[in-house]
Every structure is written in structure tokens, then in C-alpha cells.
Amino acid sequence: MSGAPPEGFSVTPGPVQLFAFSAATWNPHRVHYDADYCREVEGYPGVVVPGPLQGSWLLELADAWARDAGLRVESIEYRNVRPAFSGAELTVGGRVVQGPPDASLELWVASPDGERHCVATAHARPPG
């Protein structure tokens, strides 16, 4: 397993998922559920995928990789670098930068064209 990249996955967030996530996280901003508001007021082409939702996908990927390697995610830091929109196919991917046993991962949420929407660094170590 040493150095094997995380097995990424694809997601296509839809309006129901975005609305439910925003409600569950108490985020009332209309850009996350009101398509007309997004287009007419904010100038976006559609509903914006919440940054914390993208961060949760990155943590999901890091955690799956770490568990397969017998490690535990110790920390993750993510940053949104460009908006992603409802209905767009996104890829959650990553690569091992260091390790294991003390591992660092570079992670991202990207469009099919390779443009990144959210980037992260995660660190994993053996449990205990």
C-alpha cells in the first residue's frame, strides 16, 4: 500500500443534496439553494456547492485511504479556490505526497477539465 494513491470518486451534486446539506449545517445563504437568486442577483450559472460539503468529500477520501493503509487521519486543511455548481460532475481525487507511516496527502475536487474547486492537505499517522 505504501505510496499508492487514494482511489478517487465522482460526484454530481444536485439541488436536493445541496439544500439538505445547507439545512443540516444551518447555512441559510441563498446561493446554496435558490437557482433564480444565483443567476439574477449573484451572476452565477447555478446553485453553488457549499465549501464544507466539498471539504467533507475530501475528508471521506483521506479517511478511506488512511484506513486501508492502517492509519488514522490526524488533520485536514482545505481551501475553496473556485465555485462549483449544482449538476456539474466533479471528481474527488488525491495523491500521496509523503509516507506512510507518517503520511501527507494532496487532495482536490475538480471539474472534468481538471480545474480545481477545492484543495486540501491531509496528514495521517498510525493509531495510538
Side-chain angles (χ1 to χ4, degrees), residues 60-99:
E60 179 182 343
L61 180 60
D63 183 59
W65 179 86
R67 281 185 288 129
D68 286 349
L71 305 174
R72 182 180 66 204
V73 174
E74 293 279 319
S75 67
I76 186 167
E77 294 179 18
Y78 73 92
R79 182 171 54 93
N80 298 300
V81 294
R82 119 178 205 210
F85 300 101
S86 177
E89 181 182 348
L90 302 169
T91 300
V92 181
R95 70 181 187 93
V96 178
V97 177
Q98 172 187 317

Side-chain angles (χ1 to χ4, degrees), residues 13-23 32-33 47 86:
V16 173
Q17 180 185 27
L18 301 184
F19 176 81
F21 185 86
S22 293
H32 301 304
Y33 64 87
V47 174
S86 177

Side-chain angles (χ1 to χ4, degrees), residues 16-59:
V16 173
Q17 180 185 27
L18 301 184
F19 176 81
F21 185 86
S22 293
T25 58
W26 292 86
N27 183 348
H29 199 303
R30 290 173 69 180
V31 296
H32 301 304
Y33 64 87
D34 186 337
D36 291 336
Y37 173 85
C38 289
R39 284 188 299 275
E40 296 166 11
V41 176
E42 298 288 344
Y44 289 132
V47 174
V48 178
V49 178
L53 178 56
Q54 295 178 65
S56 73
W57 297 330
L58 296 172
L59 178 57

